[in-house]
Amino acid sequence: GKPVVPIVIKGLTMPGVRIRYNSVETLKIINDPQAVPHLLKAALNTNDLVRIRAHALRTAVRLDPHRSFPAMRMLSDDTKDTIRRTVAFEARKIREQAIGPILIKLMGDSALFVSEAARESFWVITRYSGKSHDWASSTHEQRKAWAQEFTEWWDMNIRRLQEQQQQQEQPIS
């Protein structure tokens, strides 16, 4: 339970790969947001294995999306495409307006699966799917050009999206 969280957090920095991965998994099961800063530190550790970093990021976002947003912004430029894809996928849980431009940037990513995850998350957040393009067989240059279409749409619709978000946050009376 929650009393063991400080002990499990120590496992995030231990030398054994299995210990670090299982520590992330245990923190996910315990479901205590006090672990989020430590999980984000693990996700930002570029010296660790990608699968541990990605799992730590997924777990942190699910425990506290709002506190995870700054790390997601930094990790959107990570050199590992698996990390960028994790950012793109988990972004759908972030309810910050600043996530839109990050997703649009990731739509133009050199890795196709990062680009597709970003496009899908953008749709989940905005319900805008853009013009019909063949993303599955696209080139990096095409994806960058198509991402520009999303930037134009975002710039024209950001005010409407902000108003919708404010209405959703208002208590029902």
Side-chain angles (χ1 to χ4, degrees):
K2 293 185 181 186
V4 301
V5 169
I7 296 164
V8 177
I9 285 171
K10 290 180 183 178
L12 294 172
T13 57
M14 292 186 126
V17 172
R18 187 168 242 22
I19 294 171
R20 291 193 310 276
Y21 190 87
N22 287 346
S23 295
V24 174
E25 189 65 22
T26 303
L27 291 169
K28 179 177 131 187
I29 293 167
I30 294 172
N31 199 27
D32 187 358
Q34 75 171 334
V36 169
H38 305 281
L39 289 164
L40 293 174
K41 185 176 178 184
L44 291 165
N45 181 2
T46 57
N47 294 323
D48 208 344
L49 295 176
V50 172
R51 74 181 181 110
I52 294 172
R53 294 177 62 213
H55 193 39
L57 179 60
R58 281 190 303 272
T59 302
V61 170
R62 290 172 186 176
L63 292 177
D64 191 345
H66 181 71
R67 280 199 297 174
S68 301
F69 177 70
M72 289 185 65
R73 178 179 290 159
M74 292 180 351
L75 289 170
S76 69
D77 293 324
D78 199 89
T79 58
K80 303 293 185 186
D81 51 15
T82 301
I83 299 296
R84 294 192 311 273
R85 187 211 172 271
T86 303
V87 169
F89 184 84
E90 295 301 323
R92 60 188 71 187
K93 295 173 182 73
I94 306 288
R95 296 298 175 204
E96 303 273 344
Q97 292 296 327
I99 201 70
I102 292 170
L103 287 171
I104 292 169
K105 176 184 73 171
L106 290 173
M107 282 182 213
D109 197 270
S110 59
L112 176 61
F113 64 98
V114 173
S115 179
E116 288 182 329
R119 187 174 52 91
E120 289 167 7
S121 290
F122 192 84
W123 180 85
V124 168
I125 292 170
T126 65
R127 296 295 188 237
Y128 177 72
S129 61
K131 297 176 184 173
S132 181
H133 298 295
D134 184 10
W135 288 77
S137 62
S138 63
T139 65
H140 181 215
E141 293 305 315
Q142 288 173 318
R143 290 191 297 275
K144 284 170 52 177
W146 297 339
Q148 185 58 39
E149 295 172 9
F150 283 84
T151 300
E152 293 166 5
W153 181 88
W154 180 261
D155 292 343
M156 291 188 318
N157 290 278
I158 185 68
R159 178 162 290 161
R160 180 183 56 80
L161 293 170
Q162 288 170 338
E163 291 169 1
Q164 285 177 345
Q165 184 179 19
Q166 288 171 351
Q167 289 173 354
Q168 290 173 353
E169 293 172 357
Q170 302 256 334
I172 299 173
S173 49

